[in-house]
Amino acid sequence: MSAPQSRAHWGSKFGFVLAAAGSAIGLGNIWRFPYVTNENGGGIFVLIYLAAIVLLGLPVMLAELTIGRHTEKNPVGAFGHIAPKWKWVGYLGVITGVAILSYYGVVAGWTLGYIVKSASGDLDPKAFGAFISNPAQQIGYLLVFILMTMSVVAFGVQKGIERMAQVLMPLLLLLMVALIIRGLTLPTAAAGLKFYLYPDFDHLSAKTFLFAIGQAFFSLSLGMGAMITYGSYIKKDDNLATSAIAVVGFDTLIAIMAGFLIFPVIGHSLTKGGPTLVFVTMIEQFNAMAGGQWVSCLFFLLLGIAALTSTVSLLEVATAYMIDEHNVSRGKAVLIIGAVTTALGVPAALSLGAVPALSSIAGGKGFLDIMDFLFGNVSLTFGALMTCVFLVYRWGIYNAATEVKEGCPTFGKYVLFWRIFLGYVAPAAIATMLVYILVTGQGLG
Ligand code: TRP
């Protein structure tokens, strides 16, 4: 057994911001945000989303980062350090991370498949159904994606996660800008932008608010301790408040930009989102455009990069748990968690047509959908609620504020706002979401 080592740290504040933004920026921003916006009233949804990000997302982001840096631990260790009876919230987070990774990895693997398809000039929008029901391809791409994720995490916080983010996040931004410019030069651009941003008040209902809040929390990677874990590597003299603002701002910017990328290309309103938006509708458009094969290649590269920096954060949570709580080496922890994730991912990968018994398990939902409902929705929402309640009513807002003030001496002025939003507004909003999810059996995030 190795001697206890001091906590790993990010090399710089900017390195942390890139890594955490990498966690937040993912499939949720690039394919989910645009179509949820379109389905929920366009510009008016974007406004509600922005309000949810600032009023709810930012306080909870700061809460997770603060719990992490104060304890310098994974979620189990972090909750346990402050209040042993709350350890189970940490366990729920670790389990949720592995579960989300297992099916998120399936969709992430598709981006690799579509990079290969694009490069080889095989852009048939009708091929999607055959692709997702092909067992060898589904398992193969999942394995490759999980192995890529494992190799980054195995190199550790600075040499693996931070260095990856330093290379991939600027590349992501560059690809995004290049693809937006290409899209805006298409004849479909004006009509598409109208569908994206035109505020349609007829669509405005209580549900709009819940979808905006759900999208905000999922997109910011909140509710399972990913940001607790990343926060645990922040140095004591770094400013938590401005770090939280930077991560939230970067994530939001990319979500909004994703709309400016997708809609000009599509040029019409969307009635159906989900996988069909990116893997069918976009492919139809790429097919029809000059040089579309290469635009498609870069588009799926962008999507793959966004997904990888997110899967890395999902894997790091359980890895940090194994290292901190069970004293295993990083390499061994990555192997164990990677194997568990793959074991859970295989049924998800086979549930989209390959194995009929897995495609319809309960209420017409297949294995992947059920995992997304239980972990991507119920558990994350519950975890976010518990995080607010824990910080305000168990740890105490002033104890938490003391931690924030290290590196941000002026935070005192904002403690009252933090208390109100974390203690009342966010719990009320999140509890409403939880009730909606449980009553309707429908996901929000
Ligand atoms: N935020 C990522 C996305 O938008 C997904 C993600 C990564 C996530 N880590 C998370 C979501 C932790 C919730 C919790 O695609």
Side-chain angles (χ1 to χ4, degrees):
M1 214 175 277
S2 54
Q5 294 171 338
S6 69
R7 188 75 176 165
H9 288 292
W10 304 107
S12 71
K13 178 181 163 184
F14 190 56
F16 157 75
V17 169
L18 289 179
S23 166
I25 296 164
L27 298 171
N29 300 56
I30 301 179
W31 60 261
R32 196 168 186 284
F33 177 77
Y35 84 79
V36 173
T37 298
N38 184 239
E39 275 174 359
N40 286 284
I44 184 70
F45 180 84
V46 175
L47 284 180
I48 300 172
Y49 174 77
L50 290 176
I53 287 278
V54 175
L55 301 178
L56 309 170
L58 186 58
V60 180
M61 172 68 71
L62 183 60
E64 286 206 15
L65 295 180
T66 306
I67 294 171
R69 191 180 68 175
H70 179 73
T71 57
E72 301 201 304
K73 292 256 168 25
N74 68 91
V76 174
F79 282 99
H81 176 87
I82 297 173
K85 280 197 183 133
W86 283 74
K87 238 182 174 175
W88 61 272
V89 180
Y91 280 112
L92 185 67
V94 170
I95 294 168
T96 302
V98 173
I100 295 180
L101 176 57
S102 72
Y103 69 81
Y104 195 94
V106 173
V107 181
W110 297 350
T111 65
L112 301 179
Y114 272 74
I115 293 173
V116 173
K117 277 174 182 281
S118 308
S120 58
D122 171 23
L123 288 185
D124 178 4
K126 293 187 294 298
F128 182 62
F131 175 67
I132 59 172
S133 45
N134 179 319
Q137 287 189 345
Q138 289 304 298
I139 292 178
Y141 284 122
L142 168 69
L143 278 181
V144 175
F145 210 91
I146 292 195
L147 282 174
M148 281 167 40
T149 308
M150 288 168 66
S151 19
V152 175
V153 175
F155 277 99
V157 175
Q158 270 194 33
K159 293 205 176 103
I161 304 174
E162 186 170 354
R163 194 187 287 169
M164 164 204 68
Q166 280 164 341
V167 175
L168 293 187
M169 297 311 286
L171 182 59
L172 176 134
L173 202 60
L174 196 76
L175 282 170
M176 193 100 204
V177 171
L179 288 165
I180 289 176
I181 292 173
R182 178 69 187 98
L184 288 176
T185 58
L186 294 169
T188 43
L193 286 180
K194 181 166 172 269
F195 282 111
Y196 176 35
L197 293 171
Y198 186 79
D200 177 0
F201 290 91
D202 291 349
H203 274 93
L204 194 58
S205 69
K207 247 173 81 175
T208 317
F209 286 85
L210 294 180
F211 272 96
I213 301 168
Q215 175 67 24
F217 278 105
F218 185 83
S219 185
L220 292 173
S221 299
L222 298 172
M224 51 142 284
M227 292 300 170
I228 293 180
T229 308
Y230 274 21
S232 75
Y233 307 126
I234 300 179
K235 291 189 191 122
K236 287 287 177 192
D237 53 1
D238 276 339
N239 186 325
L240 287 174
T242 55
S243 298
I245 292 171
V247 174
V248 167
F250 200 171
D251 181 65
T252 308
L253 175 73
I254 296 291
I256 304 277
M257 283 172 81
F260 281 96
L261 160 57
I262 303 269
F263 281 96
V265 174
I266 290 187
H268 57 78
S269 179
L270 280 163
T271 45
K272 215 166 155 14
T276 48
L277 160 59
V278 168
F279 299 97
V280 178
T281 317
M282 286 296 273
I283 293 285
E284 280 166 6
Q285 302 302 108
F286 291 141
N287 241 331
M289 127 190 3
Q293 179 187 355
W294 302 107
V295 179
S296 177
C297 216
L298 295 179
F299 175 74
F300 287 104
L301 181 63
L302 167 73
L303 213 54
I305 290 174
L308 180 63
T309 52
S310 296
T311 54
V312 159
S313 77
L314 289 163
L315 180 59
E316 176 61 18
V317 175
T319 302
Y321 161 73
M322 293 293 282
I323 296 172
D324 294 347
E325 309 297 315
H326 297 284
N327 232 327
V328 299
S329 69
R330 176 167 283 270
K332 217 183 198 173
V334 167
L335 282 177
I336 296 169
I337 305 296
V340 174
T341 306
T342 307
L344 273 175
V346 166
L350 296 177
S351 72
L352 300 158
V355 177
L358 290 168
S359 316
S360 180
I361 294 179
K365 281 191 161 92
F367 190 85
L368 192 152
D369 294 332
I370 292 176
M371 293 291 280
D372 182 43
F373 178 71
L374 290 180
F375 294 99
N377 283 280
V378 178
S379 178
L380 278 185
T381 310
F382 184 68
L385 179 61
M386 287 299 118
T387 303
C388 299
V389 172
F390 172 78
L391 192 144
V392 176
Y393 302 104
R394 179 62 188 80
W395 188 20
I397 198 84
Y398 291 103
N399 292 328
T402 305
E403 179 65 38
V404 182
K405 281 181 196 157
E406 251 183 90
C408 181
T410 54
F411 187 68
K413 283 187 277 192
Y414 305 99
V415 177
L416 183 63
F417 290 107
W418 201 28
R419 191 191 189 295
I420 292 170
F421 281 97
L422 212 56
Y424 303 104
V425 185
I430 301 169
T432 312
M433 277 169 56
L434 192 58
V435 170
Y436 177 88
I437 291 170
L438 291 173
V439 169
T440 61
Q442 237 197 333
L444 287 169

